[in-house]
């Protein structure tokens, strides 16, 4: 690591701490040449491999933008979108690979979005899964109406009773 002050190529680490729930490491460093101190933050880069083969860094903001479009006109606030993007990032990082196909990012969005807002979920799924007919929508709506394993067989109202 080069010193940002004198550009000397050597420094020593004085202190290291995990930040952002272990997603990054903050290091306090000291230059062996000039003695000045500085801080670095290191984080593992999560890369998304698109269908075209192009690789780009994972972006929570890109997840938020895509989901925000699906939520347009729905009662979903910005905090909920940020939390969803955080959950998606945690899910894809938990896979333990440095690169993840964009298709898997989309799959990671579907679950939390379904919990957040079923109409937005249906909008997102229709684009993501390339619905081509009314039957595709009917099948997805039937899946939404089917209770998840372990839930009571009551119609979904969109509100939590627990």
């Amino acid at each position: 690591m080069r010193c940002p002050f004198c550009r000397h190529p050597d420094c020593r680490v004085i202190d290291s701490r995990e930040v952002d729930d272990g997603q990054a490491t903050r290091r306090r460093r000291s230059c062996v040449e000039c003695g000045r101190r500085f801080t670095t933050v290191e984080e593992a880069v999560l890369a998304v491999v698109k269908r075209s083969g192009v690789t780009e860094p994972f972006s929570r903001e890109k997840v938020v933008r895509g989901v925000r479009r699906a939520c347009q006109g729905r009662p979903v606030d910005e905090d909920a979108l940020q939390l969803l993007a955080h959950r998606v990032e945690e899910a894809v990082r938990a896979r333990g690979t440095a690169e993840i196909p964009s298709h898997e990012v989309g799959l990671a969005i579907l679950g939390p979005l379904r919990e957040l807002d079923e109409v937005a979920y249906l909008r997102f799924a229709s684009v993501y899964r390339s619905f081509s007919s009314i039957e595709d929508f009917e099948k997805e709506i039937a899946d939404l109406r089917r209770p998840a394993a372990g839930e009571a067989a009551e119609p979904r109202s969109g509100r939590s009773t627990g």
Side-chain angles (χ1 to χ4, degrees):
M1 169 65 51
R2 283 193 183 277
C3 173
F5 305 107
C6 72
R7 309 295 298 155
H8 190 269
D10 195 17
C11 67
R12 58 188 175 98
V13 175
I14 298 169
D15 180 49
S16 292
R17 297 176 190 208
E18 284 188 359
V19 292
D20 292 334
D21 297 322
Q23 297 298 318
T25 302
R26 179 187 168 274
R27 298 195 196 281
R28 192 73 179 134
R29 298 175 181 267
S30 175
C31 176
V32 297
E33 181 70 21
C34 69
R36 293 181 76 181
R37 293 182 176 191
F38 57 99
T39 301
T40 59
V41 177
E42 302 169 14
E43 64 181 333
V45 175
L46 177 62
V48 177
V49 181
K50 304 186 85 141
R51 280 184 229 145
S52 65
V54 173
T55 302
E56 65 181 43
F58 176 85
S59 167
R60 275 192 200 177
E61 187 52 42
K62 195 166 183 179
V63 170
V64 169
R65 275 196 313 267
V67 173
R68 185 180 290 130
R69 267 181 263 148
C71 292
Q72 194 168 355
R74 302 294 304 156
V76 176
D77 64 17
E78 189 64 27
D79 288 343
L81 294 177
Q82 294 297 330
L83 181 60
L84 183 141
H86 178 73
R87 287 178 63 194
V88 169
E89 182 174 9
E90 283 183 335
V92 295
R93 283 191 185 276
R95 292 193 164 111
T97 60
E99 292 185 345
I100 185 164
S102 59
H103 175 74
E104 289 188 34
V105 175
L107 289 175
I109 291 171
L110 288 173
L113 184 56
R114 181 177 178 165
E115 294 170 15
L116 180 65
D117 187 281
E118 290 178 340
V119 172
Y121 164 82
L122 191 59
R123 290 174 178 171
F124 188 89
S126 71
V127 173
Y128 177 72
R129 294 184 176 151
S130 303
F131 287 7
S132 59
S133 68
I134 194 73
E135 288 80 19
D136 293 335
F137 281 92
E138 289 171 341
K139 181 187 175 309
E140 197 66 40
I141 290 169
D143 288 348
L144 279 169
R145 288 186 173 147
R146 196 172 309 123
E151 286 183 16
E154 296 176 17
R156 294 166 70 104
S157 66
R159 283 189 222 122
S160 173
T161 57

